[in-house]
Amino acid sequence: MTNNKSSEPAYKVKGVDLLFLQKNETPLESVLLSAIHLPSKQPRRYFDLEAMEALTASIRQKGVLQPLLVRPKGQNQYELVAGERRYRAAKEARLETVPVIIKDFSDEETFEIALVENLQREDLNPLEETEGILDLLSLKLNQSREAVISLFHVVSHPERESANNVIHSDKWKVVLEAFKIIGKFTPNSFRTNRLPLLNLPKDILEYLHQGKIEYTKAREIARIKDESQREELLTIAITEKLSLNQIKERIASIKTAVTKTKSEKSALYQNRLKAISVKAKKTKVWDDSKKTQKFDKLLAEIEKLLTEE
């Protein structure tokens, strides 16, 4: 039987196979788990609780079967490069030591490995993918995330001279090379399908950045336009661990309530307008010159309000 994994493209940095370390091409070492520290910037933030519990149970029973990749950070201290799920599960299982491969990577290589490994395993949600790729490009180009985003927008207008300048620049060559490595997007598909995710409501982005809620649930809650209603549902969804279907049911209830409220308001204002018309006819307000002037002014304001976009 053919091994399907053998046909998968390997991505290597300094000889380390990121599909991932199954071949043990580098001698393994065992180090104290307490000596391994998480990097300050990581592409992944959300970890499914049920999946983590299952992995913890497996590690508690069998140990860590696949080594972590670390880089040295001071005397007998290390920074995690890849394998955060195993690292977290090992801590939860209260292991003292774990198998590792130690390699000396730069900051750029460290982040690139973590990102590519997660992309290959499909462990990142779309927002984590987007921000991870932008942060990788920021490292490679030594520019801010905002500056990187502007490159995509400039190139999206090929008819402009500025786009032509960027397309033939060394910076854009770096971008193209990075997307060859990532292999999941083209620069254009990334711009059209991923960059818009950065425009999600701020409260949604904050909860996603904190890793408190699953992306699919947060995206559903983002459909609620009212900020207070959205914040309330976010809190309930997290504290009560609502399923995606339960969230959809709550959103449907909110929309029904909003529609009902709008219908009630519409009926109320229509009734008030009818009552005003009846009173105007009874009092013959237009026969009073003083009242007519004021009445005309109020009608003009109402007409202006109704014609405003």
Side-chain angles (χ1 to χ4, degrees), residues 39-244:
S40 57
K41 180 174 283 190
Q42 300 157 278
R44 189 175 183 186
R45 300 184 185 94
Y46 179 79
F47 293 85
D48 183 86
L49 293 178
E50 290 185 6
M52 285 302 300
E53 287 173 0
L55 181 59
T56 299
S58 173
I59 285 178
R60 193 175 281 126
Q61 182 182 9
K62 302 174 184 177
V64 177
L65 302 180
Q66 193 174 349
L68 310 180
L69 181 61
V70 300
R71 64 172 176 165
K73 276 292 195 179
Q75 189 172 5
N76 297 322
Q77 297 295 309
Y78 307 93
E79 182 178 88
L80 185 70
V81 177
E84 187 177 353
R85 285 182 74 250
R86 280 161 281 150
Y87 169 82
R88 289 176 178 269
K91 286 191 76 172
E92 189 65 27
R94 298 186 178 180
L95 297 190
E96 289 189 6
T97 61
V98 289
V100 299
I101 289 176
I102 302 172
K103 286 277 187 176
D104 194 8
F105 295 111
S106 67
D107 291 345
E108 181 184 318
E109 289 168 337
T110 297
F111 191 82
E112 186 173 347
I113 290 168
L115 176 64
V116 173
E117 189 219 8
N118 278 300
L119 287 172
Q120 287 177 335
R121 291 176 178 272
E122 299 185 346
D123 282 343
L124 300 179
N125 68 47
L127 180 65
E128 289 171 334
E129 284 181 350
T130 303
E131 295 188 326
I133 290 170
L134 288 175
D135 288 339
L136 175 61
L137 292 174
S138 294
L139 277 172
K140 285 181 170 294
L141 296 171
N142 194 26
Q143 290 194 315
S144 68
R145 183 188 286 183
E146 291 72 23
V148 173
I149 291 172
S150 71
L151 288 177
F152 287 95
H153 293 317
V154 170
V155 171
S156 68
H157 296 282
E159 73 282 359
R160 299 177 183 174
E161 184 179 349
S162 56
N164 189 55
N165 292 338
V166 171
I167 289 171
H168 293 94
S169 68
D170 290 338
K171 289 180 181 178
W172 195 245
K173 289 178 183 177
V174 171
V175 172
L176 293 176
E177 186 61 33
F179 276 94
K180 283 182 184 177
I181 292 169
I182 292 164
K184 195 169 184 178
F185 308 97
T186 65
N188 186 55
S189 68
F190 179 74
R191 178 184 63 82
T192 56
N193 300 321
R194 284 291 187 258
L195 288 184
L197 296 180
L198 302 177
N199 298 323
L200 284 168
K202 289 183 179 179
D203 51 355
I204 295 290
L205 289 173
E206 184 178 348
Y207 278 94
L208 284 169
H209 289 155
Q210 293 172 1
K212 290 184 176 180
I213 190 168
E214 189 178 343
Y215 171 78
T216 52
K217 296 177 182 179
R219 184 184 60 185
E220 197 68 28
I221 296 172
R223 293 169 53 198
I224 300 175
K225 302 304 179 185
D226 184 270
E227 188 175 344
S228 60
Q229 290 178 332
R230 192 171 60 238
E231 179 70 29
E232 182 181 358
L233 184 52
L234 272 168
T235 303
I236 293 171
I238 292 167
T239 56
E240 297 185 14
K241 298 180 181 179
L242 298 182
S243 67
L244 183 58

Side-chain angles (χ1 to χ4, degrees), residues 289-304:
S289 59
K290 290 184 179 178
K291 288 184 178 180
T292 299
Q293 190 176 6
K294 191 173 183 180
F295 192 64
D296 281 340
K297 186 178 180 181
L298 292 171
L299 282 176
E301 288 183 10
I302 292 173
E303 288 168 348
K304 182 181 178 182

Side-chain angles (χ1 to χ4, degrees), residues 253-272:
S253 297
I254 290 171
K255 289 192 172 183
T256 299
V258 168
T259 302
K260 184 179 178 182
T261 301
K262 285 183 178 179
S263 178
E264 290 172 348
K265 278 186 177 180
S266 176
L268 174 64
Y269 283 115
Q270 287 183 53
N271 290 334
R272 286 180 68 184

